[in-house]
Amino acid sequence: MPHLSYLMTNLNCWWKKILTVLLLVAMFFGTSVVWWTSPSNAALPAGNAITDGRALLRYSLPIDNQAVRDLQADLEDIANQLRANRRWSAISKDVSQAARIINSRKDELLKSIPDEQKPQAEALIDELQAGINDLRQAAESKDKEQIWTGRAKTLNLVSNLEELMVQKFPYDVPAEYSNLPQLKGRATVQMETNKGNLTVVVDGYSAPVTAGNFVDLVERGFYNGLEFIRAEDSYVLQTGDPPGPEQGFIDPGTGKYRSVPLEVLVKGDPVPTYGITLEQAGRYREEPVLPFSAYGAVAMARPEFDNNGGSSQFFFFLFEPELTPAGRNLLDGRYAVFGYLTEGKEVLEQLKEGDKIISAQVIRGAEHLVRPQ
């Protein structure tokens, strides 16, 4: 099967985008990986997909506190109203609702916080109250730039508050994967490239084995100096292929190729599904907790017919809303997303095949990595 970029060589940009949609299923990357689907199984339920990686990371935290989820939803919605011709009355309503939650549901916000962390949580709530007051003033003056800035600031505080609510890792990883590193929480990885820096938050709550493998390789310095080996405009940017004949990581402790299972946590499930695509499980219409709906989603590459053959190669998904309709992403459930780009979008947009990761390091959350004993 020819590579899509070869098929489109002589077509103009408009036709290229059309073909990108029509031929998603024919694309190859990494170690002969193919993304495919049958026509009858191509669509997930339609809806308004969340396209902000930071928001997806907030929603994927394993917490049960309705007050903080309501607070987050009101602040997230401000972006929708700004994009819809600046609906100032709706923005003011969102801000007012957020203020009411902070003022009248503080006890509910605090009930999920361990006692030893309550002072930190109360300080965050005070900062949120001040930030929401600033948002109210910006909405009254219809200052779009201040609204964007204030929304980002308050949502970062909400993220910090929500993270305090996670008191323990929510499930046991199957014993058969105890020989692999696991990330029992989250970690932040910074990559220095020849075009600039990228920051990725890796989510071990939703993909502990996939995320643990990645963080372990970062800490080993495995990705330092590696090139990006494939770049598809508005689609993927891939790396992780080491020099030499091997296409993945050879564990120096065993001398063997480290294989990582396909790992997808579905919304509502207590544990991830391992070793099988959601389509193969007859669950192709169900949604992963970490979907391919945000620019800079980070996912594990794998061989075409081996769900459990991933190792070191990973890719950034270069999501374009007009090419991937909301709720109809052909990759969800077939490949394992394990994090999202949170800083450096302008750098990611510039990176091409042949560009290089100069270095990668864990700058936060390394303590959550559990290596096999």
Side-chain angles (χ1 to χ4, degrees):
M1 185 180 296
H3 196 281
L4 186 60
S5 60
Y6 172 80
L7 294 175
M8 297 190 301
T9 299
N10 297 317
L11 297 176
N12 61 34
C13 181
W14 185 78
W15 280 108
K16 182 175 180 179
K17 288 189 175 183
I18 294 295
L19 285 175
T20 302
V21 176
L22 296 177
L23 301 181
L24 279 174
V25 297
M27 292 196 66
F28 284 79
F29 66 94
T31 58
S32 301
V33 177
V34 176
W35 295 334
W36 61 273
T37 186
S38 62
S40 62
N41 295 343
L44 292 173
N48 295 320
I50 299 172
T51 60
D52 180 354
R54 290 179 182 271
L56 288 165
L57 288 164
R58 282 188 283 270
Y59 280 119
S60 64
L61 280 170
I63 60 175
D64 182 18
N65 185 294
Q66 192 57 50
V68 81
R69 288 307 192 197
D70 290 344
L71 174 62
Q72 180 187 340
D74 288 329
L75 295 172
E76 301 279 10
D77 186 62
I78 291 172
N80 299 327
Q81 306 307 332
L82 283 172
R83 294 188 185 102
N85 298 318
R86 306 181 192 179
R87 296 174 179 170
W88 295 109
S89 60
I91 291 171
S92 295
K93 181 180 178 181
D94 284 333
V95 175
S96 295
Q97 290 177 166
R100 278 197 294 272
I101 292 169
I102 289 292
N103 292 326
S104 65
R105 298 171 69 182
K106 181 176 178 180
D107 289 345
E108 188 179 347
L109 290 169
L110 289 172
K111 75 177 183 180
S112 299
I113 307 292
D115 288 342
E116 66 273 14
Q117 293 181 309
K118 276 189 166 62
Q120 184 179 351
E122 290 174 340
L124 286 171
I125 290 172
D126 289 342
E127 287 187 70
L128 273 165
Q129 190 169 40
I132 289 170
N133 287 337
D134 291 341
L135 273 174
R136 191 194 304 276
Q137 294 177 15
E140 289 173 355
S141 60
K142 298 183 178 181
D143 188 329
K144 183 177 180 181
E145 197 61 39
Q146 285 299 316
I147 287 284
W148 277 118
T149 302
R151 173 185 173 274
K153 177 182 176 181
T154 53
L155 278 170
N156 283 339
L157 294 170
V158 169
S159 294
N160 294 338
L161 184 63
E162 289 175 339
E163 287 176 4
L164 293 178
M165 294 179 180
V166 183
Q167 299 187 30
K168 64 179 182 178
F169 194 77
Y171 54 85
D172 292 326
V173 176
E176 63 189 287
Y177 305 122
S178 60
N179 63 318
L180 296 170
Q182 298 174 20
L183 189 68
K184 298 298 184 70
R186 286 186 172 168
T188 302
V189 173
Q190 187 173 79
M191 296 182 184
E192 180 187 359
T193 78
N194 60 302
K195 296 287 180 64
N197 292 341
L198 305 172
T199 302
V200 170
V201 173
V202 182
D203 184 18
Y205 293 121
S206 303
V209 177
T210 314
N213 172 69
F214 177 75
V215 171
D216 176 65
L217 293 179
V218 169
E219 292 222 307
R220 289 172 181 266
F222 178 86
Y223 294 110
N224 297 349
L226 292 191
E227 292 186 354
F228 292 97
I229 57 173
R230 178 159 294 171
E232 299 287 343
D233 289 344
S234 301
Y235 203 37
V236 297
L237 177 73
Q238 186 169 325
T239 187
D241 183 15
E246 301 296 343
Q247 294 181 314
F249 173 65
I250 305 301
D251 191 329
T254 64
K256 297 180 180 179
Y257 179 94
R258 181 196 283 174
S259 295
V260 178
L262 178 63
E263 180 180 46
V264 180
L265 180 62
V266 175
K267 290 181 180 179
D269 282 4
V271 298
T273 294
Y274 288 93
I276 186 172
T277 69
L278 295 188
E279 184 175 44
Q280 290 166 342
R283 306 180 68 185
Y284 55 85
R285 292 186 180 276
E286 299 190 44
E287 298 181 63
V289 170
L290 302 180
F292 283 96
S293 63
Y295 187 95
V298 187
M300 179 64 69
R302 60 175 174 82
E304 177 181 353
F305 297 113
D306 187 357
N307 292 339
N308 298 327
S311 183
S312 60
Q313 293 193 41
F314 71 95
F315 62 93
F316 291 96
F317 185 45
L318 310 181
F319 174 79
E320 291 289 347
E322 69 272 19
L323 300 183
T324 312
R328 295 177 179 269
N329 197 306
L330 299 174
L331 305 185
D332 285 333
R334 294 172 176 84
Y335 298 91
V337 175
F338 60 91
Y340 294 98
L341 180 80
T342 57
E343 295 179 31
K345 183 185 180 202
E346 70 288 349
V347 174
L348 185 56
E349 289 171 337
Q350 298 175 40
L351 290 168
K352 303 295 181 185
E353 182 176 338
D355 284 326
K356 183 177 293 187
I357 297 174
I358 297 171
S359 66
Q361 60 179 326
V362 180
I363 60 174
R364 181 184 177 193
E367 70 276 10
H368 298 143
L369 179 64
V370 179
R371 290 189 170 97
Q373 299 300 315

